[in-house]
Amino acid sequence: MTVRPIRTFDDPVLRSVAEPVQDFDRELRRLVKSLTATMRAGAGRAGLAAPQVGEPVRVVVYSYDGKSGHLVNPRLELSERRVTADEACLSAPGLWWPLERSYMVTARGRDMLGKPVTVRALGVLARVLQHEVDHLDGVLFSDHLEAAERERFLAAALPG
């Protein structure tokens, strides 16, 4: 499968809200396979959202601690318990930043064939799913940082 270039933080496509998938067809299956190959080739290798490769549709792939898969048109139910941990993004390679997220999520969506999927995740995988679904909404993880921290992060992510 094709490994695709990952868009960086300054690419406007990452600020667009992705469209729901309507057709569970061969093109969608190709996209999921390409996203998976691209994620595995990347530095972080925990998750990737379709907008990060320039595809404005609601598809994410994930792989962490033996759990891997994909979600089409995901919706998240977040726990109230929150934890702070370092987070990174393939669109800002090499940068890790502390961020507070829900400790547990239940993600509901569909697989590439249109069948319902539910993923319950704790800790890092919960963080990965939240991060990737944010990409579908045009939200970068730096948007969750306080203003001063966001400025420091962006100065490191977008030198020049």
Side-chain angles (χ1 to χ4, degrees):
M1 232 342 83
T2 304
V3 172
R4 297 171 64 172
I6 295 173
R7 307 294 179 99
T8 58
F9 254 59
D10 56 346
D11 192 315
V13 74
L14 296 178
R15 290 302 191 172
S16 301
V17 176
E19 294 293 321
V21 170
Q22 303 294 329
D23 299 320
F24 292 80
D25 57 9
R26 184 177 302 177
E27 274 306 305
L28 176 62
R29 290 188 293 282
R30 248 186 241 136
L31 174 61
V32 168
K33 290 174 184 174
S34 179
L35 283 171
T36 301
T38 302
M39 173 188 63
R40 289 186 177 147
R45 301 186 189 144
L48 187 65
Q52 290 179 275
V53 297
E55 296 288 341
V57 292
R58 299 188 74 78
V59 178
V60 301
V61 296
Y62 61 89
S63 181
Y64 184 78
D65 202 24
K67 294 183 182 180
S68 62
H70 65 278
L71 288 163
V72 178
N73 299 332
R75 299 170 321 283
L76 299 181
E77 298 166 18
L78 306 174
S79 70
E80 289 184 28
R81 179 179 172 200
R82 297 178 65 82
V83 294
T84 299
D86 282 348
E87 191 162 320
C89 182
L90 291 174
S91 292
L95 294 176
W96 291 82
W97 223 263
L99 181 65
E100 184 179 80
R101 295 255 192 204
S102 290
Y103 177 71
M104 181 174 40
V105 301
T106 301
R108 299 181 197 285
R110 304 242 171 225
D111 69 10
M112 64 180 147
L113 302 174
K115 295 178 183 170
V117 175
T118 300
V119 178
R120 289 179 179 79
L122 302 170
V124 174
L125 184 55
R127 177 173 298 277
V128 167
L129 292 173
Q130 290 169 80
H131 179 107
E132 301 312 332
V133 171
D134 272 355
H135 276 301
L136 302 182
D137 294 327
V139 175
L140 302 175
F141 85 90
S142 58
D143 295 342
H144 295 289
L145 300 173
E146 292 182 20
E149 281 298 301
R150 183 171 39 253
E151 284 182 32
R152 281 195 287 283
F153 173 81
L154 291 174
L158 306 170

